[in-house]
């Protein structure tokens, strides 16, 4: 587990997979560092998660699309977004040739079960 969010970043590789590091897990809570470099969701694939996801872009940039919205959202350094549980979404693109570093906080909303 890194002591710094930017420590031990994998080299950018558009042909490789995204890199996921679980930083903290507690009941109802999981925090991950995600490193992307040109990856996107597969055509027609939508995430539909049982938990909410709050995310922030720490470096790089990405295009994220929520199913109920006509346009993608472009996220740059410092931009954050809260995605409710079961809100279908996908990554349209991440910046190629650089490390797009995300901090993702997955949580269970106690009010919805």
């Amino acid at each position: 587990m890194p002591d710094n969010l930017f420590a031990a970043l994998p080299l950018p590789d558009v042909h490789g997979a995204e890199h996921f590091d679980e930083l903290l897990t507690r009941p109802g809570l999981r925090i991950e560092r995600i490193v992307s470099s040109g990856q996107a969701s597969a055509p027609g694939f939508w995430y539909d998660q049982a938990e909410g996801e709050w995310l922030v872009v720490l470096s790089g940039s990405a295009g994220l699309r929520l199913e109920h919205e006509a346009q993608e959202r472009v996220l740059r350094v410092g931009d954050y977004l809260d995605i409710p549980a079961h809100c279908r979404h996908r990554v349209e693109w991440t910046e190629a040739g650089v490390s797009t570093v995300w901090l993702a906080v997955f949580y269970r909303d106690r009010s919805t079960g």
Side-chain angles (χ1 to χ4, degrees), residues 77-101:
V77 173
D79 291 340
Y80 62 90
L81 180 64
D82 185 34
I83 304 170
H86 297 294
C87 176
R88 289 170 44 105
H89 61 285
R90 55 180 283 110
V91 177
E92 295 290 339
W93 56 270
T94 58
E95 191 172 349
V98 300
S99 294
T100 295
V101 179

Side-chain angles (χ1 to χ4, degrees), residues 26-50:
R26 297 290 185 269
L29 177 74
R30 185 175 81 253
I31 301 174
E32 289 183 350
R33 177 185 75 171
I34 305 168
V35 182
S36 310
S37 57
Q39 292 83 10
S41 299
F45 174 81
W46 293 88
Y47 289 98
D48 185 351
Q49 301 164 167

Side-chain angles (χ1 to χ4, degrees), residues 3-4 6 10 19 22 24-25 36-37 44 47 50-51 53 56-57 61 70 72-73 82-83 88 94 113:
D3 294 324
N4 181 293
F6 298 102
H19 188 83
E22 194 169 276
L24 178 72
T25 301
S36 310
S37 57
Y47 289 98
E51 62 224 345
E53 179 181 359
V56 60
V57 174
S61 60
E72 72 184 35
R73 295 180 185 213
D82 185 34
I83 304 170
R88 289 170 44 105
T94 58

